[in-house]
Amino acid sequence: MYSDYKILLERLKFILSSEKIRMDELMKKHTTFKLGGICDIMIFPSTEEELIESIKCIIKNKVPYFILGCGSNILVKDKGIRGVVVNLTKFNKIVVENNIIRAQSGSSLSDIATIAKDNSLSGFAFACGIPGTIGGAVNMNAGAYGGEMSNIVLGVRVIDLNGEVFYISRENMEFGYRTTTIMKNKYLVISCDISLKRGRKEEIYDEMKELMYKRKLKQPIEYPSAGSIFKRPEGYFAGKLIDDCGLRGYIHKNVMVSEKHCGFIVTRNENATTSEVLELINIVKDKVYNKFNVILEMEVKVVGED
């Protein structure tokens, strides 16, 4: 296996220091579900130059790669990921210029929300409790509590599948429900410009506290999960459909439908596997379809080998 990557590894060492390159890294250490097998190579770029040059190097060597933020909206299969996982958690610089926040793609939404609050900028509080990065959030037009990325994104710097870097303005983002032109074209987000409004720090902080309280009250954040498993079907709510099928608290091997929020699947213990989660997802989809004739579409991305 390593011989297949020998040339790539030698070239990556000219871009990244040795501590930013890991072999046979266990993916369960890097996902909120705490699931997933090993990846062949994981790299941790921390500057824009490192990120762009690493991606260009990987593309040139024709090695598959996967972009990872904080691992909050993915299911990694039990045999892991072949190729390179580009871990963006160290690529997290955030700069404030007047009412504009420019955040590198690995910046956590909670960090951006705190910085916005500290600078008396309102409009980002809705994202304060979403366990993800700005890159992933912009990619899928994430939202919560009446807010979503399409309302605040000014523009995004990306790199495409050919290694070309360019800027996409708000009007060209093609924002939709959990979709964007970035997702459609498989672009990699480098950084995002967020346009916010002036507000009062105390009011912003109060809003953040209220939303965090609601999230804690309604979502099983005390258990490993990948967040909401399914997209919202048109005219329905996935959680209610699942609940109405009598699946609240439904147990399948080492995983279960959350008792607190039926749109979440959580692990019961450390023996849980991704295969068990996928089996439970299929059980839920089948029961909802058989009872309501509604097809549930997954919001969580499944990656890796069976």
Side-chain angles (χ1 to χ4, degrees):
M1 180 67 74
Y2 295 136
S3 61
D4 296 339
Y5 303 130
K6 185 175 180 181
I7 295 174
L8 173 62
L9 285 168
E10 289 302 315
R11 290 176 176 172
L12 284 174
K13 288 175 183 177
F14 284 101
I15 302 169
L16 301 163
S17 56
S18 58
E19 67 270 15
K20 293 181 179 180
I21 304 173
R22 299 182 191 173
M23 308 295 293
D24 291 337
E25 186 73 5
L26 196 58
M27 288 301 299
K28 69 189 302 180
K29 292 163 50 179
H30 301 278
T31 67
T32 57
F33 227 140
K34 309 298 182 188
L35 298 174
I38 64 168
C39 66
D40 296 330
I41 304 170
M42 183 176 286
I43 63 173
F44 297 82
S46 60
T47 69
E48 189 169 297
E49 181 181 8
E50 287 179 347
L51 175 60
I52 293 171
E53 292 306 312
S54 294
I55 294 296
K56 287 182 176 180
C57 181
I58 294 167
I59 292 171
K60 186 175 182 179
N61 284 272
K62 299 180 180 179
V63 174
Y65 65 94
F66 176 73
I67 306 302
L68 179 73
C70 64
S72 62
N73 200 51
I74 64 168
L75 259 174
V76 179
K77 292 183 178 180
D78 297 315
K79 289 192 176 179
I81 299 176
R82 304 289 68 81
V84 182
V85 171
V86 183
N87 189 312
L88 298 179
T89 52
K90 297 183 185 298
F91 186 64
N92 56 8
K93 185 177 179 181
I94 303 169
V95 177
V96 180
E97 297 178 2
N98 298 316
N99 67 317
I100 307 296
I101 293 180
R102 179 169 293 116
Q104 292 179 331
S105 56
S107 305
S108 74
L109 299 177
S110 60
D111 284 349
I112 297 172
T114 297
I115 287 174
K117 180 261 295 179
D118 290 344
N119 285 272
S120 300
L121 295 174
S122 68
F124 202 84
F126 75 89
C128 68
I130 300 176
T133 60
I134 189 64
V138 171
N139 176 66
M140 67 177 295
N141 189 23
Y145 300 109
E148 64 179 19
M149 289 296 141
S150 62
N151 299 327
I152 57 175
V153 170
L154 193 61
V156 185
R157 272 188 96 222
V158 301
I159 183 168
D160 67 14
L161 294 173
N162 297 314
E164 297 297 319
V165 177
F166 53 96
Y167 190 81
I168 306 176
S169 60
R170 181 206 300 267
E171 54 268 24
N172 294 316
M173 282 287 293
E174 298 179 23
F175 284 113
Y177 176 64
R178 301 298 177 261
T179 185
T180 62
T181 189
I182 296 172
M183 178 180 287
K184 294 172 186 174
N185 292 288
K186 299 181 179 179
Y187 298 150
L188 187 167
V189 175
I190 298 173
S191 61
C192 179
D193 293 338
I194 304 159
S195 178
L196 302 175
K197 296 179 180 179
R198 287 289 164 190
R200 295 184 65 248
K201 186 182 298 186
E202 296 79 9
E203 292 178 357
I204 298 167
Y205 184 49
D206 287 344
E207 182 182 4
M208 289 171 63
K209 286 194 296 183
E210 181 181 356
L211 293 180
M212 287 297 292
Y213 174 74
K214 286 182 179 180
R215 185 175 290 273
K216 185 176 181 180
L217 195 65
K218 296 180 179 180
Q219 298 182 8
I221 60 177
E222 64 272 25
Y223 294 104
S225 79
S228 181
I229 290 287
F230 302 105
K231 294 181 181 179
R232 184 179 68 242
E234 188 173 351
Y236 299 92
F237 291 99
K240 187 175 189 313
L241 290 173
I242 296 166
D243 194 11
D244 289 346
C245 285
L247 294 173
R248 181 179 295 273
Y250 181 89
I251 294 173
H252 175 71
K253 298 179 181 177
N254 297 297
V255 298
M256 66 182 290
V257 175
S258 168
E259 293 179 309
K260 187 181 284 187
H261 190 312
C262 293
F264 285 64
I265 289 175
V266 299
T267 59
R268 299 176 61 216
N269 55 58
E270 60 184 17
N271 296 318
T273 66
T274 300
S275 295
E276 293 173 349
V277 175
L278 293 173
E279 289 166 6
L280 180 52
I281 286 171
N282 286 329
I283 291 170
V284 170
K285 290 175 70 174
D286 286 346
K287 288 187 179 293
V288 169
Y289 180 75
N290 290 336
K291 184 165 185 176
F292 297 105
N293 200 34
V294 174
I295 298 174
L296 291 180
E297 184 180 350
M298 285 183 64
E299 181 171 309
V300 171
K301 184 175 184 179
V302 180
V303 297
E305 292 191 341
D306 291 313

